[in-house]
Amino acid sequence: MGDRVHLLAVARTLLPVALGILTLLPHSLLGTPAEEEHVRNSALLQRAKRSWVWNQFFVLEEYTGLEPLYIGKLHSDMDKGDGSIKYILTGEGAGTTFTIDDSTGDIHAIQRLDREVKAQYILRAQARNRLTDRPLEPESEFIVKIQDINDNEPRFLDGPYQATVPEMSKIGTSVIQLTATDADDPTYGNSARVVYSILEGQPYFSVDAKTGVVRVSLADMDRETRENYTVVIQAKDMGGQLGGLAGTTTINITLSDINDNPPMFDQSKQPSAHMSIPESAPVGSVVGRIWAKDRDIGVNAEMKYSIIDGDGRDTFDISTDPTNLFGIITVKKPLNFENKPSYTLKVEGANTHLDPAFRHRGPFKDVTIVHVSIEDVDEPPQFDLPAYYVELPEDAEIGTMVKTVSARDPDAANNTVRYSIDRSSDPDKYFYIEITSGSLMTVRSLDREEVGWHNITILAMEMNNPTQIASVSVAVRVLDVNDNPPSLMHYLEAYVCENAKAGQLIQTVTAVDPDEPLGGQHFYYSLAPEAVNNPNFTLKDNQDNTAWILTRRGGWSQQDQTVFYLPIFISDGEQPVQSSTSTLTIRVCSCDQEGNVMSCNAEAYSLPASLSRGALIAILACIFVLLVMILLMLSLRTHRKKPYLCDEEENVHENIVRYDDEGGGEEDTEAFDIAAMWNPREAHHHLGKMRQDMLPEIESLSRYVPQACVMGGGSGDSNVHGYVLAKLLEADMDPCAPPYDSLQTYAYEGEGSVAESLSSLQSGTSNTDHEYDYLNDWGPRFKKLAEMYGVLETNSPPLW
């Protein structure tokens, strides 16, 4: 700052001297521009040459004195010093920044000037007659230039800065280039000449003094040791000399990663990894994951894992997770603890992105040993085959063994296995399986034409753990047996025209057979034995599974006979041969010349000529009497079935009926009248109405026994005798009690029900042995019956 003040003082001292010298210079040196302007305006001013005395003015910026700063002086040759000339100043800053003494022409600056704000001002000056205000000289332009001083320090406009350089970079590697700007005039002196230096960040980085390029100055900087650095750079003007102004900025430098570290498995605690997985884990299950640690980051730490050796390389697989860091071991094949309880894997982890410049630091991979233990799990039984296929002829006898399935417990315990059929796969109960041996047998006749395939599911359950159940499918194909006779297809009626002649074809017949022989169907047609000598029609077998019906004569007439019945015998060609007889109805019809049917009237119903009118009336009378009797019987039956209501008003209460006697099942609608439950006490007062059913509940004996009968008598026997007589009297007078000679028959109770009849009547007439194994499938409500009539082994508890 001392030099700056000294320079300002020298400038202020020399400036007036320079201006005085410029004023005393001859016009030939300083007046050339004025003379040219004077020649252009000679016609107006009537002057031969210019008389201005002027020059370009210079002034230092940042003047801080109390008095106005003297800039320069304007003078005209016509100025005699008598004050008759007035000087006028116009242009940039005239009157605000610059003022002029109109008598002397002295110019002063009245405001502080800053070159960095405005470097020069363009002004115009003119000399005028003070009295007439007429211009004595043409207006002339001059410039006031602001001279620079070093009043601005260098600035880093974009700081602070962020920079990145790879780790392990060589000395001299460029990091970033900085540029500082100085607002001072670069063309004047050294005020804007900047020099760079580093204040903080040695010895890691350095900066070029002239260019501002920051470079690496220390070799082998490791990101894994230190990643971030802060560097402070200074820019100083005046070429770095004493007294120059300076500015600083900060650079945050980050070392970027390169692949200079190989991966390594963590083997500090144990030399290998241990994992376990249950044997029931399905294929694709995750066993565990391993990690080869890498000090690098990003793509330089990405890994690829592989199983390179071990007895489990075919049983397990390994893949890399989405982050490309971990290795995931999964199950490749089904596991079995009983076959092999443990496996050993040799796993390798290797970097996927290698830097050629650092291959000498390799190899960039590592190896570890993984031990996988298989955990024992209680597994369900296993069948010896994944599925079974059986072919069985449809004429197989009941009890035929279809197939014997076999399952075993794969665990070391080898528990006993029991078999059953999934009833949802055999709802009609065609088959039965022996619970211990697994022998599948038929219990119903098979019919291929009804069900051609039976897909049965067999269940196998461990004896000691009923939750372990396995299933297998048994496909039973029912083979065809020729057990169905052929029959006519579609055409059971035909017609013959009245004008038909002998040998004329009236119908082509075909047959159908539900059986499907391997060699295809082949039918044989002929007339039934009783129609072999039929005089009206004949049959011709075409040997192609069709036959023709031909006429044997002509002269057909509806008056003679309208309908003919022709029995046709059909047999198939398979063994055992099946045959049937179908009757073809042939009507006689009226036809046109082309053979199209016009009418086929049915045989007319006409009264015989000998039937008299009286006979016809008698027949009608009989029919009428029958109708009346039928209506009367229906009326009586309806009246008899009308329920006896003891209460005249309708009772909407729920009917709760207790059956003390055995009813007639679902189809018994007359054995019991539910109206007796509505108001049984009121029924005693209607003596005129009789009931055919019994009271649902016996009243208390002491409530309706006449007191005279009870109190009379002395001995115990007489009391009992009186009690019986009282009850007999009560029964005789009770309209709701049935006669004692009535007989209720329940021989057909439950007929039509799915459960069939539970009555033992007529059961002795059956010669077949009853099997009650199906009671096991009826649910818990029939458990007691199943235990009474079932075939479960007495020495073992029930399994299902």
Side-chain angles (χ1 to χ4, degrees):
M1 292 300 295
D3 293 343
R4 180 179 179 183
V5 173
H6 175 73
L7 291 175
L8 290 175
V10 173
R12 291 171 183 171
T13 304
L14 296 178
L15 184 60
V17 176
L19 292 176
I21 296 174
L22 292 175
T23 304
L24 298 176
L25 289 176
H27 290 177
S28 59
L29 297 175
L30 302 176
T32 304
E35 290 178 359
E36 293 176 356
E37 185 68 21
H38 173 70
V39 172
R40 290 195 296 268
N41 298 287
S42 59
L44 176 64
L45 300 178
Q46 300 294 324
R47 292 179 64 82
K49 64 178 182 178
R50 179 174 176 175
S51 298
W52 278 105
V53 177
W54 68 279
N55 201 347
Q56 178 174 331
F57 300 105
F58 295 89
V59 61
L60 290 175
E61 63 173 336
E62 302 295 344
Y63 172 71
T64 58
L66 299 178
E67 297 295 330
L69 178 63
Y70 181 76
I71 302 289
K73 182 180 181 64
L74 297 178
H75 183 73
S76 174
D77 293 344
M78 300 180 64
D79 188 358
K80 304 301 184 179
D82 54 0
S84 61
I85 296 178
K86 181 176 65 174
Y87 296 96
I88 298 174
L89 183 66
T90 60
E92 295 177 343
T96 57
T97 303
F98 302 99
T99 60
I100 188 171
D101 188 335
D102 61 352
S103 299
T104 62
D106 293 332
I107 301 174
H108 291 82
I110 59 176
Q111 288 189 358
R112 183 178 178 179
L113 302 177
D114 190 351
R115 188 199 69 83
E116 287 73 34
V117 176
K118 191 171 179 63
Q120 64 180 15
Y121 294 86
I122 300 176
L123 298 172
R124 292 181 298 278
Q126 191 176 33
R128 291 178 175 269
N129 188 294
R130 186 179 295 276
L131 297 178
T132 62
D133 200 30
R134 293 181 59 186
L136 301 178
E137 295 288 346
E139 189 178 57
S140 181
E141 183 178 88
F142 66 96
I143 298 174
V144 176
K145 287 190 174 183
I146 310 302
Q147 287 186 333
D148 181 58
I149 64 173
N150 189 18
D151 60 343
N152 292 277
E153 72 275 6
R155 296 177 181 273
F156 295 93
L157 301 181
D158 299 328
Y161 298 88
Q162 303 290 333
T164 302
V165 64
E167 62 174 331
M168 299 294 175
S169 295
K170 297 179 179 180
I171 296 177
T173 302
S174 175
V175 179
I176 189 174
Q177 182 176 11
L178 305 181
T179 300
T181 59
D182 195 323
D184 295 325
D185 188 358
T187 63
Y188 180 77
N190 295 326
S191 297
R193 190 164 71 88
V194 178
V195 174
Y196 300 94
S197 61
I198 183 169
L199 301 181
E200 182 180 340
Q202 303 95 336
Y204 309 104
F205 300 95
S206 62
V207 63
D208 189 285
K210 293 183 179 180
T211 62
V213 176
V214 179
R215 302 180 184 276
V216 174
S217 60
L218 183 64
D220 298 332
M221 286 191 294
D222 191 1
R223 183 201 66 84
E224 288 73 33
T225 302
R226 181 179 178 182
E227 183 176 5
N228 298 309
Y229 296 84
T230 300
V231 178
V232 179
I233 301 297
Q234 181 189 68
K236 189 174 184 180
D237 57 12
M238 299 296 293
Q241 298 178 4
L242 185 64
L245 303 179
T248 61
T249 189
T250 301
I251 310 173
N252 295 315
I253 301 177
T254 302
L255 299 183
S256 61
D257 185 63
I258 62 173
N259 192 8
D260 59 338
N261 293 282
M264 295 183 63
F265 287 101
D266 187 7
Q267 299 181 353
S268 59
K269 297 182 179 181
Q270 53 186 9
S272 59
H274 292 269
M275 302 177 183
S276 62
I277 187 171
E279 62 175 333
S280 59
V283 174
S285 300
V286 176
V287 180
R289 64 179 191 170
I290 59 175
W291 180 26
K293 295 182 179 180
D294 194 325
R295 298 179 63 193
D296 299 319
I297 60 174
V299 297
N300 298 316
E302 292 183 358
M303 306 292 297
K304 181 180 180 181
Y305 297 89
S306 59
I307 301 175
I308 60 177
D309 201 359
D311 57 1
R313 62 186 306 176
D314 296 330
T315 308
F316 299 93
D317 198 2
I318 191 169
S319 60
T320 307
D321 75 329
T323 63
N324 294 321
L325 297 178
F326 299 93
I328 301 175
I329 300 176
T330 56
V331 178
K332 186 177 181 181
K333 291 183 178 180
L335 306 176
N336 192 319
F337 172 82
E338 288 71 27
N339 292 342
K340 190 171 179 59
S342 64
Y343 294 88
T344 301
L345 306 175
K346 187 175 183 181
V347 180
E348 179 187 79
N351 283 138
T352 56
H353 297 81
L354 301 179
D355 191 338
F358 295 92
R359 287 186 180 272
H360 62 280
R361 291 175 173 259
F364 287 86
K365 57 185 178 181
D366 196 12
V367 176
T368 188
I369 302 299
V370 179
H371 297 284
V372 181
S373 299
I374 309 301
E375 299 175 357
D376 188 21
V377 175
D378 189 4
E379 300 174 275
Q382 292 182 356
F383 287 92
D384 55 358
L385 291 177
Y388 296 89
Y389 170 77
V390 182
E391 292 182 349
L392 192 66
E394 60 178 327
D395 61 349
E397 295 181 359
I398 296 177
T400 301
M401 190 176 71
V402 179
K403 186 71 175 179
T404 299
V405 299
S406 178
R408 66 175 187 86
D409 183 9
D411 299 317
N414 195 18
N415 292 322
T416 304
V417 176
R418 292 294 182 262
Y419 304 92
S420 64
I421 297 177
D422 185 356
R423 283 306 173 190
S424 62
S425 64
D426 185 27
D428 296 326
K429 301 179 181 178
Y430 283 94
F431 300 93
Y432 165 80
I433 190 169
E434 212 283 323
I435 191 172
T436 57
S437 64
S439 298
L440 184 66
M441 297 174 289
T442 60
V443 293
R444 288 182 56 185
S445 298
L446 304 179
D447 189 353
R448 188 202 64 85
E449 288 72 35
E450 181 180 349
V451 180
W453 284 85
H454 295 271
N455 294 313
I456 307 168
T457 300
I458 304 298
L459 304 178
M461 181 189 73
E462 288 186 15
M463 189 72 175
N464 296 338
N465 189 358
T467 61
Q468 296 297 332
I469 300 176
S471 63
V472 70
S473 176
V474 179
V476 180
R477 179 187 178 187
V478 182
L479 300 179
D480 184 46
V481 174
N482 191 25
D483 57 349
N484 292 281
S487 60
L488 286 182
M489 179 177 62
H490 303 305
Y491 304 104
L492 296 178
E493 286 194 6
Y495 70 92
V496 59
C497 295
E498 290 181 317
N499 57 2
K501 299 178 181 180
Q504 183 172 336
L505 173 65
I506 63 170
Q507 183 66 54
T508 300
V509 295
T510 59
V512 339
D513 192 337
D515 297 320
E516 293 181 359
L518 297 178
Q521 298 283 6
H522 187 73
F523 301 121
Y524 301 93
Y525 302 88
S526 64
L527 293 179
E530 64 271 18
V532 172
N533 298 322
N534 190 304
N536 301 310
F537 304 97
T538 184
L539 180 144
K540 179 183 178 182
D541 191 344
N542 297 322
Q543 300 299 318
D544 60 355
N545 289 342
T546 64
W548 288 348
I549 306 300
L550 305 172
T551 59
R552 278 190 173 180
R553 64 178 179 85
W556 305 91
S557 175
Q558 295 186 30
Q559 299 298 328
D560 297 337
Q561 187 174 351
T562 305
V563 180
F564 294 90
Y565 298 98
L566 185 64
I568 301 175
F569 180 81
I570 311 170
S571 63
D572 52 24
E574 293 295 319
Q575 294 296 328
V577 176
Q578 300 289 339
S579 62
S580 67
T581 301
S582 300
T583 301
L584 180 66
T585 301
I586 304 175
R587 297 186 180 276
V588 180
C589 301
S590 298
C591 304
D592 56 13
Q593 296 298 327
E594 287 77 16
N596 298 321
V597 176
M598 298 176 61
S599 66
C600 293
N601 293 330
E603 185 175 359
Y605 290 93
S606 61
L607 293 174
S610 60
L611 188 61
S612 63
R613 185 180 300 274
L616 179 60
I617 293 174
I619 293 174
L620 294 177
C622 292
I623 294 175
F624 178 78
V625 172
L626 289 175
L627 291 176
V628 171
M629 292 178 65
I630 292 173
L631 292 175
L632 181 59
M633 293 174 64
L634 292 176
S635 177
L636 291 176
R637 185 175 182 181
T638 304
H639 180 71
R640 184 173 66 252
K641 288 186 177 181
K642 183 178 181 181
Y644 182 85
L645 297 178
C646 297
D647 191 2
E648 293 180 357
E649 295 182 1
E650 183 179 3
N651 194 332
V652 295
H653 295 263
E654 292 185 27
N655 302 325
I656 304 175
V657 182
R658 174 180 174 184
Y659 291 93
D660 286 337
D661 60 333
E662 186 176 52
E666 296 179 356
E667 295 183 352
D668 184 8
T669 60
E670 298 182 13
F672 203 95
D673 191 349
I674 200 171
M677 288 301 295
W678 290 355
N679 200 344
R681 297 183 181 180
E682 295 295 333
H684 292 278
H685 302 289
H686 302 280
L687 300 177
K689 299 180 180 180
M690 301 300 295
R691 296 286 301 271
Q692 296 179 358
D693 53 350
M694 295 181 63
L695 279 174
E697 194 173 61
I698 300 177
E699 296 287 342
S700 175
L701 295 177
S702 62
R703 298 177 60 182
Y704 291 94
V705 176
Q707 296 299 322
C709 298
V710 176
M711 298 300 296
S715 64
D717 294 337
S718 61
N719 288 338
V720 174
H721 180 68
Y723 178 81
V724 172
L725 292 178
K727 294 304 297 180
L728 179 60
L729 176 62
E730 178 185 352
D732 291 338
M733 298 181 64
D734 188 0
C736 296
Y740 287 103
D741 57 352
S742 65
L743 176 63
Q744 300 290 341
T745 302
Y746 302 103
Y748 301 99
E749 73 167 325
E751 184 179 8
S753 172
V754 177
E756 299 180 354
S757 175
L758 298 179
S759 174
S760 61
L761 298 178
Q762 297 183 349
S763 61
T765 60
S766 176
N767 295 325
T768 59
D769 294 333
H770 291 284
E771 294 183 359
Y772 299 94
D773 294 347
Y774 55 85
L775 294 176
N776 295 312
D777 302 326
W778 283 13
R781 295 185 178 182
F782 295 87
K783 180 179 180 182
K784 194 65 177 179
L785 290 175
E787 294 176 356
M788 295 174 61
Y789 294 94
V791 294
L792 295 176
E793 296 180 4
T794 58
N795 56 355
S796 62
L799 301 179
W800 313 99

